[in-house]
Amino acid sequence: MDHVDLNPSPIVGALVTVGDEILSGHIANSNAHHIATELFVHGFRLTRMVTVGDQETAISRALLDLIGETHFLICTGGLGPTEDDRTASAAATALERPLTRNAAYEQILRTYLAQREMPWSPPLEHMILLPEGAEKLGNVAAAGFFVEHWNTPCYFLPGVPAEVRMFMEQYVLPDLDRRFPERPLYRKRILRVQGLTESHIQERLQSLAPAELGVELGYLPQTAENWVTLFTAAETEDVADQRLQRAEEEVRWRLGADAISGRDGETLESVVGQLLRERSWKLAVAESCTGGMLAARITAVAGASDYLTCGFVTYSNDAKVALLGVSQQDLATHGAVSHEVARAMAEGARLRVDAQVALAVTGIAGPSGGTPTKPVGTVFVACATASRTIVLQHRFSGDRHHVQEESAQAALVLLWKELLG
Amino acid sequence: MDHVDLNPSPIVGALVTVGDEILSGHIANSNAHHIATELFVHGFRLTRMVTVGDQETAISRALLDLIGETHFLICTGGLGPTEDDRTASAAATALERPLTRNAAYEQILRTYLAQREMPWSPPLEHMILLPEGAEKLGNVAAAGFFVEHWNTPCYFLPGVPAEVRMFMEQYVLPDLDRRFPERPLYRKRILRVQGLTESHIQERLQSLAPAELGVELGYLPQTAENWVTLFTAAETEDVADQRLQRAEEEVRWRLGADAISGRDGETLESVVGQLLRERSWKLAVAESCTGGMLAARITAVAGASDYLTCGFVTYSNDAKVALLGVSQQDLATHGAVSHEVARAMAEGARLRVDAQVALAVTGIAGPSGGTPTKPVGTVFVACATASRTIVLQHRFSGDRHHVQEESAQAALVLLWKELLG
């Protein structure tokens, strides 16, 4: 009987994020999410994330609390030329190393400026003061340094997301990989479930024994779909794959053949795109309440031009008539948000551009525009092919953005089921 | 001379988030962002955010570390019916109170189930075990409790974002407000800057003396615009407003009249919408590489149907010809990504639907499709009115999604400047 096996021991790290703007809710901590994801897929675990403000004492205390607790430490933010960038001096205090001019970094910056014929400026004096013994990370102008302290590698990165990504990929991950070659292999698999509520999923998966399959099982409701997650730690790729594969089969069997639209990064739009490509079908899209969001999701997939012929954002009734051939009578009798108009939009879009299949959405996203019989959240989605048109009515709740997201998802689910046939 | 005045002293709090799925990068910690924002606008400051995994020892240690450090404590996640929900028992350990059946919570759940004719289930036994002396937060089925410990109010909330929002609004914020009526008033203002790089902005604002204006000044690069932030703490709304107003005027004067598109929640799309509405103009949109994203941004604004007449997502050349009247010759001679085709798309869209103004985007979002003369990231945006058509060429870097975002932003900036003009 396989069990989740965490031997060899996990290599664990801690993350410190510096920034008043995160504590005040000004911005979300997107760096933390990126760093956590990257570490995980490379076989490292974070055990603690701490966010503190821009005060030197708060930063140095966070560093002191965490150093020695984990195999490695990453700190982001507070490196830069301005006065409120205090991470380097906080690190100097916490690690008991004086701040000194870093000659290597100074050289990099001077070369960078010379190439651009720019002068040295006083704020750069602040930027090149690093804790004694610190090594500049990379031969780049962006701040970022490394210190090994009490045998713990400590990586200090700036807060700009693009720079964090660059430093993680080019320096932190390769360096961690070199220092800790022996570590478990973590693998997770996300199964994207359509059309079942979380409690339905849990009910159907009750009889599954994840530990016997060597995996951990999780549930994660997303905006308009539910995720079942499978996680395993193993010593080889093969063992991990086998466990995840077997667990996935068990989940698929219990949830039903058409419940899982894809796994991991296979979004509904990428799966639908693949199905269209296989059939050499062209798709047309006609949107009212989603206002372009449906087309934008479809074209977020590279290569969508292979199958998306065009999209119509027919927000006004006039546009529905002029561009899609919806009849004035249907609009007058049934209203723009109706079974009939959704059907006419899909069929009209399909014929106008000679596509094999067309998708249409019309609804009331709110916050105003609802009526007693058609409250905000009432949405019709339609899918037209040469042989038939299917129209489904939904009633979504939540704010405007949420209704738009649910509507786009419902349209894609309808297309997906139609293409599955 | 006014200075930032933090009297009365700020009321500060700490936030603990529980969840392996955040540490593994599985999901982003959106609750932290929401809670931080809400606390800030209500006059509270967070000084520390900590995220730990689902292990009882990790949770109780985080609670122990923080309790007594701040005026209040909020903890989210790890409350629920499943075995991996361990926050209640970790709190019991940290606060040295035994876990006991919470009669009030049990009663709420039993009533909830009875109304739905659902049976009591064993996992609920786990859910109603709370630290001794805990009070159930609210008369709702969702988990969430309150303990006062060492005079520190501690709020324990579940991890589901919608439930966190509800508990914050209905219980946590009103309760904090009642406990700490004397607190500074925090106000911040975001000025959204278009067309200037961060270093340009810093250079132009160098002569500003924020402390003398009673504000703190910050810079925050966003995806396609830069934010200048002004922050103040004051005792009255009037003083705060005056300081922010004066600082805003100083910033506007230094950055130039047409540099700031809006403040706070005034997005470029909402500002453009307002300008269109004032003129009673209708807008048409024609998109190629942004694939619906531009229309989706415009229609994210409630009431966009007042001015957006329609959008065309003309991904294929055929669609550009058939729907917008772009000439085959322009496509053949100059290519779909060209000055000429961008112009023809905007002019075609405007005439097809009888709009006063039309916006068009065509470009190479990548990852493939680039050529030596037109590399990935080459984008043309065009704006056509009855009197003239302006076409601008851009070269963006980054991945497909980033190029699409920059392109949509560039189109909106072009429209904004044209409407200001």
Side-chain angles (χ1 to χ4, degrees):
Chain A
M1 195 158 70
D2 284 340
H3 280 282
V4 177
D5 181 3
L6 287 174
N7 287 319
S9 296
I11 305 297
V12 301
L15 174 67
V16 176
T17 304
V18 176
D20 281 339
E21 66 274 19
I22 292 165
L23 293 175
S24 69
H26 208 118
I27 55 166
N29 191 352
S30 63
N31 287 334
H33 187 209
H34 176 75
I35 290 169
T37 307
E38 288 297 301
L39 289 171
F40 185 87
V41 300
H42 285 83
F44 301 99
R45 294 198 114 169
L46 278 178
T47 56
R48 213 172 164 90
M49 293 170 162
V50 175
T51 303
V52 294
D54 292 319
Q55 309 75 39
E56 193 174 318
T57 48
I59 305 167
S60 61
R61 195 193 125 188
L63 295 172
L64 271 176
D65 279 356
L66 290 168
I67 198 151
E69 290 269 314
T70 55
H71 296 93
F72 64 92
L73 187 84
I74 299 176
C75 178
T76 69
L79 299 183
T82 65
E83 277 303 310
D84 67 350
D85 289 314
R86 298 182 189 117
T87 299
S89 86
T93 306
L95 309 179
E96 296 180 338
R97 295 156 182 254
L99 270 186
T100 54
R101 280 174 81 94
N102 190 287
Y105 191 17
E106 180 173 354
Q107 189 52 49
I108 290 166
L109 282 179
R110 289 199 183 274
T111 307
Y112 177 89
L113 293 170
Q115 285 167 349
R116 286 159 186 77
E117 295 180 358
M118 290 160 68
W120 184 259
S121 72
L124 299 177
E125 292 288 337
H126 174 74
M127 211 161 155
I128 61 167
L129 290 177
L130 301 185
E132 197 168 72
E135 293 166 39
K136 173 76 179 74
L137 277 179
N139 187 25
V140 292
F145 65 87
F146 171 81
V147 182
E148 187 168 329
H149 193 76
W150 295 349
N151 285 321
T152 306
C154 304
Y155 307 88
F156 291 85
L157 314 181
V160 180
E163 294 176 356
V164 167
R165 284 167 194 264
M166 183 272 288
F167 278 118
M168 284 299 292
E169 187 187 326
Q170 296 186 17
Y171 304 103
V172 180
L173 291 166
D175 192 59
L176 284 173
D177 191 31
R178 191 177 55 75
R179 287 170 188 272
F180 305 104
E182 299 287 319
R183 56 188 195 267
L185 189 133
Y186 297 134
R187 287 292 176 268
K188 70 182 170 196
R189 188 167 289 181
I190 297 168
L191 303 176
R192 294 167 175 250
V193 182
Q194 309 297 337
L196 292 174
T197 65
E198 198 187 0
S199 65
H200 277 124
I201 296 170
Q202 285 190 328
E203 210 178 297
R204 295 194 193 178
L205 295 186
Q206 247 167 14
S207 64
L208 195 80
E212 290 179 26
L213 295 163
V215 302
E216 286 172 22
L217 185 72
Y219 303 96
L220 220 54
Q222 299 297 299
T223 299
E225 60 189 31
N226 281 293
W227 290 0
V228 170
T229 62
L230 304 170
F231 167 77
T232 194
E235 295 200 33
T236 71
E237 195 83 41
D238 278 354
V239 171
D241 281 351
Q242 280 162 24
R243 286 180 187 164
L244 292 177
Q245 196 54 38
R246 203 174 133 210
E248 179 180 337
E249 282 160 20
E250 296 276 345
V251 170
R252 281 186 184 270
W253 185 79
R254 282 170 176 78
L255 294 187
D258 66 346
I260 296 169
S261 61
R263 57 193 205 194
D264 299 333
E266 291 174 354
T267 60
L268 200 47
E269 48 270 33
S270 72
V271 168
V272 161
Q274 194 48 41
L275 291 168
L276 289 166
R277 191 179 275 121
E278 282 164 16
R279 295 187 181 208
S280 303
W281 272 22
K282 298 286 184 186
L283 169 68
V285 166
E287 304 178 64
S288 187
C289 66
T290 44
M293 188 190 276
L294 177 56
R297 275 189 62 179
I298 293 166
T299 57
V301 181
S305 52
D306 292 349
Y307 43 84
L308 184 76
T309 168
C310 79
F312 299 90
V313 180
T314 52
Y315 224 58
S316 65
N317 282 356
D318 286 352
K320 291 182 183 73
V321 173
L323 302 176
L324 301 173
V326 175
S327 76
Q328 291 283 11
Q329 196 189 328
D330 275 347
L331 285 166
T333 314
H334 307 289
V337 177
S338 64
H339 191 283
E340 291 76 8
V341 168
R343 166 187 291 270
M345 287 171 68
E347 293 177 351
R350 199 179 81 80
L351 294 174
R352 290 283 155 132
V353 296
D354 205 20
Q356 282 77 24
V357 59
L359 213 46
V361 193
T362 181
I364 304 158
S368 62
T371 66
T373 53
K374 290 178 187 167
V376 167
T378 303
V379 174
F380 293 85
V381 294
C383 181
T385 61
S387 55
R388 63 171 180 175
T389 302
I390 297 180
V391 185
L392 297 178
Q393 178 171 1
H394 293 274
R395 187 157 299 173
F396 300 120
S397 53
D399 64 11
R400 176 179 179 83
H401 185 70
H402 189 248
V403 170
Q404 290 181 318
E405 283 190 328
E406 292 271 10
S407 303
Q409 181 80 3
L412 287 170
V413 169
L414 176 59
L415 175 60
W416 173 60
K417 298 229 171 190
E418 192 67 5
L419 291 172
L420 283 184
Chain B
M1 196 159 68
D2 283 341
H3 279 283
V4 176
D5 182 2
L6 288 174
N7 287 319
S9 296
I11 305 299
V12 300
L15 174 66
V16 176
T17 304
V18 176
D20 281 338
E21 66 274 19
I22 292 165
L23 294 175
S24 68
H26 209 116
I27 55 168
N29 191 353
S30 62
N31 287 334
H33 188 209
H34 176 75
I35 290 169
T37 307
E38 288 296 302
L39 288 172
F40 186 86
V41 300
H42 285 83
F44 301 99
R45 293 198 114 170
L46 277 178
T47 55
R48 210 171 166 90
M49 294 171 163
V50 176
T51 303
V52 294
D54 293 319
Q55 309 74 40
E56 193 174 318
T57 49
I59 305 167
S60 61
R61 196 194 124 188
L63 295 172
L64 270 175
D65 280 356
L66 291 168
I67 198 151
E69 291 269 314
T70 55
H71 296 92
F72 64 92
L73 187 82
I74 299 177
C75 177
T76 69
L79 299 183
T82 64
E83 276 302 310
D84 67 351
D85 290 313
R86 297 182 190 118
T87 298
S89 84
T93 305
L95 310 179
E96 295 180 340
R97 297 155 182 253
L99 270 185
T100 53
R101 282 174 79 95
N102 189 288
Y105 192 16
E106 180 172 353
Q107 189 52 49
I108 290 165
L109 281 179
R110 288 198 185 274
T111 306
Y112 177 89
L113 294 170
Q115 285 166 348
R116 286 158 186 78
E117 294 182 358
M118 290 160 68
W120 184 259
S121 72
L124 299 177
E125 292 288 338
H126 174 74
M127 211 162 154
I128 61 168
L129 289 177
L130 301 185
E132 197 168 73
E135 293 166 38
K136 174 75 179 75
L137 277 179
N139 187 25
V140 293
F145 64 88
F146 171 82
V147 182
E148 187 168 328
H149 193 75
W150 295 349
N151 285 322
T152 306
C154 304
Y155 306 87
F156 291 85
L157 314 181
V160 180
E163 294 176 356
V164 167
R165 284 167 193 263
M166 183 273 288
F167 278 118
M168 284 299 292
E169 186 188 327
Q170 296 186 17
Y171 304 103
V172 181
L173 291 167
D175 193 59
L176 284 173
D177 191 32
R178 191 178 54 75
R179 287 169 187 271
F180 304 105
E182 299 289 319
R183 54 187 197 270
L185 188 132
Y186 297 135
R187 287 291 176 271
K188 70 182 171 196
R189 187 166 290 182
I190 298 167
L191 302 176
R192 294 166 176 253
V193 182
Q194 309 298 336
L196 292 174
T197 65
E198 198 186 359
S199 65
H200 277 124
I201 296 171
Q202 286 190 328
E203 210 176 297
R204 296 195 192 178
L205 295 187
Q206 248 168 12
S207 64
L208 195 80
E212 290 179 26
L213 295 163
V215 302
E216 286 173 22
L217 185 71
Y219 303 95
L220 220 54
Q222 298 298 298
T223 300
E225 60 189 29
N226 281 293
W227 290 359
V228 170
T229 63
L230 304 171
F231 167 76
T232 194
E235 294 199 36
T236 71
E237 195 82 41
D238 278 354
V239 171
D241 280 351
Q242 280 162 22
R243 287 181 186 164
L244 293 177
Q245 195 55 37
R246 202 174 133 212
E248 178 179 339
E249 281 160 19
E250 295 277 346
V251 171
R252 281 185 184 270
W253 186 79
R254 282 170 176 77
L255 295 187
D258 65 346
I260 296 170
S261 61
R263 57 193 206 194
D264 300 333
E266 291 174 353
T267 60
L268 199 47
E269 49 270 34
S270 73
V271 168
V272 161
Q274 193 50 39
L275 291 168
L276 289 166
R277 190 179 274 121
E278 283 165 13
R279 296 186 180 207
S280 302
W281 272 21
K282 297 287 182 185
L283 169 69
V285 166
E287 303 177 65
S288 187
C289 67
T290 43
M293 189 189 275
L294 177 56
R297 274 189 63 179
I298 293 166
T299 56
V301 181
S305 51
D306 293 349
Y307 43 85
L308 184 75
T309 167
C310 78
F312 299 89
V313 180
T314 52
Y315 224 57
S316 65
N317 282 355
D318 288 352
K320 291 183 183 75
V321 173
L323 301 177
L324 301 172
V326 175
S327 76
Q328 291 283 9
Q329 196 189 327
D330 275 345
L331 285 165
T333 313
H334 307 290
V337 177
S338 63
H339 191 283
E340 291 76 9
V341 168
R343 167 187 291 270
M345 286 171 68
E347 293 177 351
R350 199 179 80 80
L351 294 174
R352 290 282 156 131
V353 296
D354 204 20
Q356 281 77 24
V357 58
L359 214 47
V361 193
T362 180
I364 303 160
S368 63
T371 67
T373 52
K374 290 177 188 167
V376 167
T378 303
V379 174
F380 293 85
V381 294
C383 181
T385 61
S387 56
R388 63 172 180 174
T389 302
I390 297 179
V391 185
L392 298 178
Q393 178 172 1
H394 292 274
R395 188 157 297 172
F396 299 120
S397 54
D399 63 11
R400 177 179 179 82
H401 185 70
H402 189 248
V403 170
Q404 291 180 319
E405 282 189 330
E406 293 272 10
S407 303
Q409 181 81 4
L412 287 171
V413 170
L414 175 58
L415 174 60
W416 173 60
K417 299 228 171 190
E418 192 67 6
L419 292 172
L420 282 184

